Amino acid sequence: MLEPEPATVANTLATLRQWSDAGWLRQLDSALAAFVAELDPQATPALLVATALVAHMEGRGHTCLPLAPLVARPGAVLAWPAEAQDALAQLWAGLPVPLADWQAALQASGVVHVPGGGGLDAGQPLVLSGTLAAPLLYLRRYWGYECAVAQQVLERTASPALAAEPGANMDTCSHAGADSLRPWLERLFAPAEGVPVPALSESSKASASEEPDGSATDWQQLACAIAMRGRLSVITGGPGTGKTYTAARLLALLFAVDAEPERLRVALAAPTGKAAARLKQAIDAALGGLHQRLGGALDLPALTQRMGAARTLHALLGARPDTRQFRHHAGNPLDVDVLIVDEASMVHLEMMAALLAALPPTARLVLLGDKDQLASVEAGAVLGDLCRDAQAGRYSTQTAQYALTATGQALPAAFLEQGGGAAPALAQHTVMLRRSRRFGGPIGQLARAVNAGDAATAHQLLAHDASGALFSQEGASPAAVLELAVHGRAGAPASYRAYLELLAQRPSAPDADQHSAWVLRVLTAFERFRVLCAVREGEWGAGGLNRAVQGALERAGLLQARGEWYAGRPVMVTRNDPALGVFNGDVGLALPAPPAAAASGSAAPGLRVYFADGAQLRSVGVGRLAHVETAFAMTVHKSQGSEFEHTVLVLPPQAGAVLTRELLYTGITRARQAFTLVAAQPGLLATAVQQRTQRASGLQGLLERGPGA
């Protein structure tokens, strides 16, 4: 057998271009490798391959390229289709075998910066970081983002302090401040009158440490107490665990202990408009209920009014059109004392870096989210990285003593740092809510089975649920999705028929109030049902199913689609437009405008796209919306932050890397009352359950070592 010839710069670049033509790489990826070859006349094939692949990995949501697994098993890291594996093996045969040779090739290049390596940081496009055993290659921009996020997190968790004791270090101070929180925490978390939720007795609180699973611990109360210690707190948990419920009580607690509560500046935000509206609605309702229960002891309505509307992160930071820049940054920080961000799993690395930079050093940031949901569409899995220790707890003895003083609860021993080592600083500011009050039925059971990787139980639940909450069709065709969209199913009648029937019942000659009430009814009915897809393209993707559902609704006589814009068209905004007040992910309906507005004329006379923010409406003329797509079907990624009465999750015939446990879990937890799985082939459920989403990141390492290490 002939020995493979060593790769050369010329044939390596040619191979990378061929891979781009085949669709295995992006054209951008191979172009970056060619650019590096121009910058560095001494570039090696290993450097060029690594350059193309680090760009490729960024396009798939990774913030860096882990070199050790790539060198050893490139096929496993890249997860390319079978037809690409032979080409990959052929190239790899001509590249260095030892990891050290790859590292040497990168370190020797003038286009690669090695932090701590003694060389000059001249803004090189690539950065080689990580450790000797686990080197990580970055595009410069993402290395900068990770360092910035790590630095901010470390600074904000370095010296926990009580609101009642500004600047106090909890490891050395008395617990007088913590003790002062306890009366308020007991009042805020007391069961509502007439609600049979027993409060924990003093004996049960004190013996909570004997419950290894933490079932006797009020994690919501603990989360509030923990959040009072510092300028960053993370509250994670699945659907129904009470994240916004807890956040509302945290706001009330901050309001209660603040020396000047009337001056407390609070802001609410989320990655999407829908998530922001839901956050505001939930917080307002919770604060209203608390105000009544507290007998007016706190002026919570004033706090609610001063908060104003929840905003998207882009709107909060002041996105500048057609740039990556924001109006608010370190030099022009946000005017807030407390910022609560919901659906934090959707926040990508670049956005988190911008958000942390724009926060005043004294402001508190509270991140809410489900660590088990899909990570952001763009690069990074920040919440997952921050919640690495959430399940285990890893609380220090100081944190446990603080919790006992502030809440009267003894943390279970299983959640304390073991082995006498130093407990991670971030873990002392992170709480996982562990008890779901909404997902206790079949949907919750299914979500937990999927999250645990138990495909057999998940299949049993779907196949044998008698309540009507769960249903599955395996080996189905797209026609099954269309039937559900038009008619729903037994046990889950919600479908698109409901909102279209209301559309046809538009009041004749309505006044402004009547028209708004009708619009809200139509929007509410539309939000009862949604088709969620794993992919965008193809007949099983969002694009193909949108066209198919529209056609099915037309054939059923429920819709009259004439041209691009028609009454009843659901649309999703795909690009931020601050001037119009619409942002990526906002979903609305094209509906007839009131007669006065219709007379003004537009590209589609009489039609505006209406968006609901709780009970509030906003609208934009259809002629002004350039960046939208039809939204009968949407990707699971785009559905985060929303919930629907009946959710249909569609699995395509080609599983690939996109079908993961996290995608299933996220799709299932979008359903409030009914969930239907439609799979093109049997076995796709089990395939997805066994496949985890892995996002390459160096953030955890930077948090352990420090950005300068």
Side-chain angles (χ1 to χ4, degrees):
M1 180 179 292
L2 295 175
E3 291 290 326
E5 294 185 5
T8 66
V9 169
N11 63 32
T12 298
L13 290 175
T15 297
L16 294 174
R17 287 193 295 270
Q18 291 170 3
W19 289 359
S20 292
D21 292 339
W24 305 334
L25 293 176
R26 301 173 299 176
Q27 295 294 333
L28 175 66
D29 305 334
S30 57
L32 182 62
F35 176 65
V36 165
E38 293 178 4
L39 290 179
D40 182 4
Q42 306 302 315
T44 64
L47 170 63
L48 301 180
V49 171
T51 298
L53 293 182
V54 72
H56 171 70
M57 294 290 277
E58 181 274 331
R60 290 168 49 185
H62 305 273
T63 61
C64 58
L65 175 66
L67 287 177
L70 175 75
V71 172
R73 300 179 61 200
V77 172
L78 299 176
W80 283 358
E83 59 267 26
Q85 296 300 321
D86 287 343
L88 187 62
Q90 185 176 354
L91 176 64
W92 232 250
L95 294 173
V97 174
L99 174 63
D101 289 358
W102 286 72
Q103 291 172 284
L106 294 170
Q107 291 168 343
S109 175
V111 301
V112 180
H113 171 58
V114 184
L120 178 67
D121 187 354
Q124 295 96 324
L126 301 175
V127 176
L128 181 63
S129 185
T131 64
L132 190 63
L136 304 173
L137 184 65
Y138 288 86
L139 298 174
R140 156 90 44 178
R141 186 156 59 90
Y142 288 95
W143 176 73
Y145 294 149
E146 279 198 355
C147 287
V149 170
Q151 187 65 43
Q152 282 278 351
V153 170
L154 289 170
E155 289 178 359
R156 290 179 172 275
T157 58
S159 299
L162 286 170
E165 298 179 0
N169 190 313
M170 283 305 305
D171 291 344
T172 59
C173 74
S174 72
H175 291 281
D179 191 60
S180 71
L181 299 178
R182 188 167 177 181
W184 279 111
L185 285 169
E186 290 180 345
R187 293 183 68 181
L188 291 169
F189 284 91
E193 187 175 349
V195 177
V197 181
L200 293 174
S201 66
E202 291 301 315
S203 61
S204 63
K205 287 182 177 182
S207 65
S209 60
E210 300 174 5
E211 299 289 337
D213 62 351
S215 58
T217 302
D218 187 340
W219 292 100
Q220 295 176 340
Q221 190 178 135
L222 181 67
C224 280
I226 291 292
M228 297 296 291
R229 301 182 78 201
R231 295 170 293 148
L232 171 67
S233 59
V234 182
I235 302 174
T236 187
T241 53
K243 295 183 291 292
T244 52
Y245 172 97
T246 303
R249 278 148 180 79
L250 172 60
L251 287 176
L253 182 60
L254 286 165
F255 194 71
V257 303
D258 196 282
E260 297 181 289
E262 70 281 356
R263 299 172 64 91
L264 189 66
R265 301 165 301 173
V266 177
L268 307 176
T272 67
K274 177 63 68 176
R278 288 183 59 223
L279 173 64
K280 173 63 173 175
Q281 192 174 10
I283 291 288
D284 283 0
L287 288 176
L290 275 176
H291 180 71
Q292 294 181 351
R293 288 172 55 185
L294 295 174
L298 298 174
D299 191 4
L300 296 179
L303 175 62
T304 301
Q305 186 175 4
R306 287 206 314 274
M307 279 192 300
R311 289 172 284 178
T312 65
L313 290 172
H314 283 90
L316 175 77
L317 294 175
R320 298 186 182 278
D322 302 316
T323 75
R324 310 180 85 99
Q325 306 302 311
F326 296 98
R327 181 165 57 87
H328 290 289
H329 44 76
N332 180 32
L334 293 163
D335 187 26
V336 297
D337 298 310
V338 182
L339 174 61
I340 295 177
V341 177
D342 198 13
E343 299 293 345
S345 63
M346 301 172 65
V347 182
H348 55 85
L349 178 64
E350 182 179 359
M351 176 60 77
M352 186 63 75
L355 179 66
L356 288 167
L359 274 178
T362 56
R364 297 173 184 271
L365 174 63
V366 182
L367 299 175
L368 311 175
D370 186 347
K371 66 179 180 63
D372 296 317
Q373 283 190 23
L374 281 169
S376 57
V377 175
E378 298 184 53
V382 182
L383 185 69
D385 286 337
L386 297 182
C387 290
R388 178 190 62 177
D389 298 314
Q391 183 74 44
R394 299 188 69 182
Y395 297 117
S396 68
T397 54
Q398 291 87 1
T399 299
Q401 182 58 50
Y402 166 77
L404 182 62
T405 305
T407 69
Q409 301 182 89
L411 280 170
F415 297 101
L416 303 182
E417 178 65 359
Q418 307 298 313
L426 178 58
Q428 315 314 303
H429 300 264
T430 303
V431 176
M432 179 175 171
L433 307 182
R434 302 166 190 269
R435 186 185 306 152
S436 179
R437 291 164 172 78
R438 189 172 76 245
F439 277 73
I443 296 175
Q445 295 172 23
L446 178 63
R448 288 190 290 274
V450 167
N451 213 14
D454 188 347
T457 297
H459 189 273
Q460 283 288 108
L461 287 166
L462 282 165
H464 301 292
D465 175 57
S467 70
L470 303 176
F471 185 74
S472 68
Q473 297 184 63
E474 295 186 287
S477 71
V481 181
L482 306 186
E483 176 69 16
L484 290 162
V486 177
H487 300 292
R489 63 167 174 81
S495 67
Y496 289 136
R497 175 181 292 275
Y499 96 90
L500 291 170
E501 289 177 345
L502 283 173
L503 175 66
Q505 299 170 16
R506 181 193 179 199
S508 59
D511 59 27
D513 290 342
Q514 290 173 325
H515 181 268
S516 295
W518 170 74
V519 169
L520 275 173
R521 288 196 300 272
V522 176
L523 283 167
T524 301
F526 173 71
E527 290 297 324
R528 293 178 60 200
F529 176 85
R530 198 61 46 88
V531 175
L532 304 183
C533 306
V535 297
R536 288 185 53 83
E537 306 303 330
E539 66 174 344
W540 289 93
L545 283 174
N546 269 313
R547 293 186 292 272
V549 170
Q550 178 182 307
L553 294 171
E554 287 186 88
R555 292 190 295 273
L558 296 169
L559 193 66
Q560 296 182 4
R562 298 173 181 173
E564 178 186 12
W565 288 103
Y566 52 86
R569 181 193 178 192
V571 295
M572 174 181 289
V573 177
T574 59
R575 184 174 178 181
N576 298 319
D577 192 336
L580 294 180
V582 297
F583 297 91
N584 186 15
D586 287 358
V587 176
L589 283 176
L591 296 170
S600 61
S602 68
L607 287 182
R608 298 180 67 83
V609 175
Y610 288 86
F611 304 89
D613 298 326
Q616 302 298 314
L617 290 175
R618 52 191 170 95
S619 68
V620 181
V622 297
R624 303 183 68 190
L625 287 172
H627 303 285
V628 295
E629 59 188 30
T630 302
F632 290 112
M634 60 199 300
T635 63
V636 176
H637 267 291
K638 290 290 190 178
S639 74
Q640 290 176 270
S642 299
E643 290 181 353
F644 314 99
E645 180 181 320
H646 180 193
T647 299
V648 176
L649 177 60
V650 179
L651 303 185
Q654 301 299 323
V658 72
L659 286 190
T660 64
R661 184 183 305 178
E662 290 79 7
L663 181 134
L664 278 180
Y665 173 81
T666 304
I668 293 165
T669 55
R670 298 314 90 201
R672 289 196 302 269
Q673 298 180 22
F675 172 78
T676 301
L677 180 73
V678 179
Q681 296 175 356
L684 289 179
L685 172 69
T687 299
V689 168
Q690 299 305 322
Q691 186 162 273
R692 301 292 310 262
T693 299
Q694 299 292 337
R695 288 278 178 97
S697 164
L699 182 57
Q700 291 181 1
L702 290 171
L703 290 172
E704 293 173 356
R705 302 188 305 274

